[in-house]
């Protein structure tokens, strides 16, 4: 073991006597301080199912660290829980929490001079936040995702997050009883973990494995399972090898690694949120990722797995079929094989050792589910800076349509209109002033998309917004419209009755209004008053970058 450890400078020598006295006050010994100090960054909290089991996982990680010659030092980060804040003011705080998580870890790890980190996230903003911290600090790091729960079942029906949310609309239409909806609520979570669908959190668990920051196969392990606890011990042991060999994220988080992560994310029909986060994580790693990168890769990355909500498969079922290693094997020549993993293997070696155990779940390049990836970047007069759509969730009837705009200034207004039958077929629901700056906080619009699907309009209406979408979103939903309304984008000028053309084949999103008419509207436009005037959201709105730049805060 290298003797040149940061923690030694913090706690060794006669001049550091007080510092030793202080840490000994927490129960550590001189022998503990002679070992590398490893931060175990947990996101346990007792009111979110995806985090509720992480005390046991952290204990297993710490056991592995201690067995392998290190001293674990646990502290907690936090997770602002998306699914408990949908369609509320609380959702405005979710995306901003990502960068705060990265900052919190930097402050704790740098302040206490830890030698390495094991990161235990569960939740779709905390995962990229932790990856951003790993890239920024460049200390030996391993991530273990908190994991999904196996899919719930109610009266023979698989129950995913979107099943419950869409069920609200079904109850209002009279096609589902309140008793059945309550039954689905209770059956949704068989145990702890994120719901077993391609939510943004579960998507993050998959792409961090493909990035090489997690041990192979860990991204699909059921939360709190014996297999996950064994993987937690292995993770604790592995971090000590990385410390001994001085393996840092800068050796792993290369352009090739990010390409692998993006291809895996698209191949399984992952959340549109990975577009936003990949740009932010890559920036911390010094790698260029943009909307253009996503557009280029999506054109030749086929969809090989149809995870829910776009298909029938749960994330744990993907794990049973071979998991991320099997998906990488199926990607074949599209994989950047030279990229490396914390396991000490190349990504190519991990793929070669994998087996596709269920070919009905994981398809091959020769017989893909779809010829292109699950995400597309659209451009046009309504989105000159780009917009994102999860094409795998859009019915073919909606791939090339012209619809009539109905404009809303907030998600709640659109939900009310949908649930009171004020929206008819052929409508393009436009929700604006929900971007990074205008929201502020760029809320997920799952409430609106679920109301759309629940109203039976999924194949005759579309939703376009400068907000974003949850991984549980399905249907014709186009988000991340750039520039957003609050930054002067054309979406601010849309009026009820305007024609909006959607062409997913041509990757276009156009506002069919003459230029001179738009200029007159711009001259008369009065921006709405900011929603917040103090606190963190005010600071965030004043400084956050656009969605096309990863919604990052200035840290450079």
């Amino acid at each position: 073991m290298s003797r040149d450890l940061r923690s030694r400078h913090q706690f060794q020598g006669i001049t550091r006597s007080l510092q030793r006295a202080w840490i000994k006050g927490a129960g550590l010994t001189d022998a503990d301080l002679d070992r590398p100090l490893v931060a175990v960054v947990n996101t346990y909290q007792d009111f979110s199912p995806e985090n509720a089991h992480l005390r046991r996982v952290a204990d297993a990680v710490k056991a592995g660290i201690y067995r392998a010659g290190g001293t674990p030092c646990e502290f907690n980060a936090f997770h602002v829980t998306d699914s408990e804040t949908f369609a509320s003011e609380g959702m405005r705080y979710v995306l901003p929490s990502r960068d705060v998580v990265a900052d919190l870890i930097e402050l704790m790890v740098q302040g206490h001079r830890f030698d390495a980190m094991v990161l235990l996230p569960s939740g779709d903003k905390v995962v990229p936040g932790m990856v951003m911290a790993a890239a920024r600090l460049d200390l030996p790091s391993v991530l273990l995702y908190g994991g999904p729960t196996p899919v719930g079942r109610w009266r023979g029906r698989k129950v995913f997050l979107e099943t419950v949310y869409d069920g609200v609309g079904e109850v209002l239409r009279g096609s589902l009883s309140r008793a059945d909806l309550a039954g689905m609520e209770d059956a949704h979570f068989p145990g702890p973990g994120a719901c077993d669908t391609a939510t943004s959190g579960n998507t993050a668990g998959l792409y961090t494995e493909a990035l090489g920051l997690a041990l192979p196969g860990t991204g699909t392990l059921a939360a709190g399972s014996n297999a996950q606890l064994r993987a937690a011990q292995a993770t604790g042991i592995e971090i000590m090898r990385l410390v001994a060999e001085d393996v840092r994220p800068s050796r792993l988080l290369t352009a090739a690694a990010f390409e692998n992560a993006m291809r895996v994310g698209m191949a399984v029909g992952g959340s549109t949120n990975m577009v936003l986060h990949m740009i932010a994580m890559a920036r911390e790693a010094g790698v260029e990722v943009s909307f253009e990168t996503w557009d280029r890769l999506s054109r030749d990355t086929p969809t090989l797995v149809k995870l829910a909500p776009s298909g029938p498969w749960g994330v744990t079922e993907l794990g049973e079929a071979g998991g991320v290693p099997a998906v990488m094997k199926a990607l074949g020549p599209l994989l950047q094989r030279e990229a490396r993993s914390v396991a000490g293997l190349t990504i190519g070696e991990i793929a070669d050792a994998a087996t596709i155990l269920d070919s009905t779940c994981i398809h091959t390049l020769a017989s893909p589910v779809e010829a292109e990836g699950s995400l597309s970047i659209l451009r046009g007069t309504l989105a000159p800076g780009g917009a994102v759509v999860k094409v795998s969730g859009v019915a073919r009837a909606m791939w090339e349509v012209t619809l009539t705009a109905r404009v809303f200034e907030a998600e709640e207004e659109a939900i009310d209109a949908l649930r009171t039958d004020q929206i008819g077929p052929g409508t393009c629901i436009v929700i604006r002033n929900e971007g990074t700056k205008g929201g502020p906080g760029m809320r997920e619009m799952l409430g609106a998309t679920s109301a759309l699907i629940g109203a039976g309009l999924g194949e005759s209406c579309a939703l376009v917004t400068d907000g974003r979408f949850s991984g549980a979103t399905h249907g014709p939903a186009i988000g991340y419209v750039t520039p957003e309304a609050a930054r002067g984008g054309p979406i601010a000028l849309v009026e009820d009755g305007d024609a909006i053309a959607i062409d997913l084949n041509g990757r276009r999103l156009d506002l069919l209004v003459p230029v001179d008419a738009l200029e007159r509207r711009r001259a008369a436009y009065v921006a709405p008053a900011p929603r917040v005037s103090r606190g963190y959201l005010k600071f965030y709105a004043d400084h956050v970058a656009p969605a096309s730049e990863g919604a990052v805060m200035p840290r450079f």
Side-chain angles (χ1 to χ4, degrees), residues 11-288:
F11 295 108
Q12 300 294 340
I14 191 169
T15 63
R16 310 303 290 174
S17 180
L18 175 62
Q19 290 75 21
R20 283 195 301 279
W22 205 267
I23 198 168
K24 286 179 181 179
L28 276 75
T29 67
D30 286 319
D32 291 330
L33 298 179
D34 198 43
R35 297 162 164 248
L37 299 187
V38 180
V40 178
V41 190
N42 200 351
T43 51
Y44 165 79
Q45 55 196 38
D46 62 10
F47 55 89
S48 300
E50 57 265 59
N51 308 92
H53 63 295
L54 289 178
R55 279 181 173 169
R56 290 189 67 201
V57 176
D59 286 344
V61 168
K62 291 190 287 186
I65 291 170
Y66 208 79
R67 281 175 52 195
T71 297
C73 299
E74 182 182 357
F75 67 87
N76 228 59
F78 61 89
H79 169 217
V80 184
T81 310
D82 301 53
S83 299
E84 294 172 7
T85 64
F86 284 134
S88 77
E89 289 300 302
M91 174 55 77
R92 301 195 190 283
Y93 291 85
V94 174
L95 179 58
S97 73
R98 181 197 67 188
D99 294 64
V100 178
V101 166
D103 293 345
L104 180 155
I105 294 170
E106 176 188 357
L107 293 170
M108 286 292 290
V109 171
Q110 296 291 68
H112 294 89
R113 309 309 289 169
F114 294 121
D115 300 304
M117 303 187 294
V118 174
L119 305 166
L120 301 177
S122 199
D124 65 321
K125 306 307 172 295
V126 72
V127 179
M130 287 190 169
V131 175
M132 290 164 70
R136 185 185 302 175
L137 302 185
D138 202 28
L139 294 171
S141 303
V142 184
L143 183 146
L144 176 60
Y145 176 58
T149 184
V151 64
R153 296 178 186 274
W154 174 251
R155 296 186 174 176
R157 180 181 180 183
K158 288 184 178 181
V159 180
F160 298 110
L161 182 158
E162 60 276 7
T163 315
V164 178
Y165 219 151
D166 293 354
V168 174
E170 294 175 29
V171 169
L172 293 175
R173 290 169 56 204
S175 58
L176 182 73
S177 72
R178 293 195 177 195
D180 276 335
L181 181 60
M184 289 193 292
E185 288 177 25
D186 293 339
H188 185 191
F189 285 91
C195 55
D196 201 25
T197 189
T199 60
S200 303
N202 285 336
T203 299
L206 303 178
Y207 68 58
T208 47
E209 188 181 329
L211 269 176
L213 272 187
L215 293 179
T218 57
T220 52
L221 293 175
S225 63
N226 290 336
Q228 188 183 58
L229 295 177
R230 290 192 294 270
Q233 284 209 43
T235 296
I237 293 169
E238 193 65 19
I239 190 63
M240 298 314 300
R241 182 187 68 80
L242 299 183
V243 172
E245 298 178 9
D246 197 28
V247 177
R248 298 171 183 259
S250 55
R251 290 175 57 182
L252 308 175
L253 298 178
T254 62
F258 279 98
E259 180 171 322
N260 287 337
M262 287 186 278
R263 287 196 188 277
V264 166
M266 286 188 284
V268 300
S271 166
T272 56
N273 274 321
M274 64 180 166
V275 175
L276 193 74
H277 299 320
M278 207 68 68
I279 294 171
M281 294 185 297
R283 183 173 181 180
E284 290 282 2
V287 174
E288 177 64 29

Side-chain angles (χ1 to χ4, degrees), residues 280-322:
M281 294 185 297
R283 183 173 181 180
E284 290 282 2
V287 174
E288 177 64 29
V289 171
S290 65
F291 275 6
E292 286 71 24
T293 314
W294 281 100
D295 186 57
R296 174 175 59 83
L297 295 178
S298 71
R299 292 177 183 272
D300 65 359
T301 302
T303 301
L304 303 178
V305 182
K306 276 273 195 175
L307 290 178
S310 299
W313 301 102
V315 175
T316 54
E317 292 172 314
L318 170 62
E320 293 166 1

Side-chain angles (χ1 to χ4, degrees), residues 23 25 30 51 152 171 193 206 269 286 296 306 329 366 376 395 428 448 480 502 526 536 543:
I23 198 168
D30 286 319
N51 308 92
V171 169
L206 303 178
R296 174 175 59 83
K306 276 273 195 175
K329 186 183 192 75
S376 288
C428 182
Y480 307 85
I502 298 169
V526 177
Y536 186 74
H543 294 88

Side-chain angles (χ1 to χ4, degrees), residues 105 363 368 433 517:
I105 294 170
H363 292 236
N433 290 302

Side-chain angles (χ1 to χ4, degrees), residues 328 336-341 343-352:
M328 294 192 299
Q336 296 294 323
R337 295 177 55 85
E338 74 280 8
R340 302 199 65 85
S341 163
L345 302 169
T346 66
I347 293 299
E349 289 169 335
I350 293 170
D352 289 344

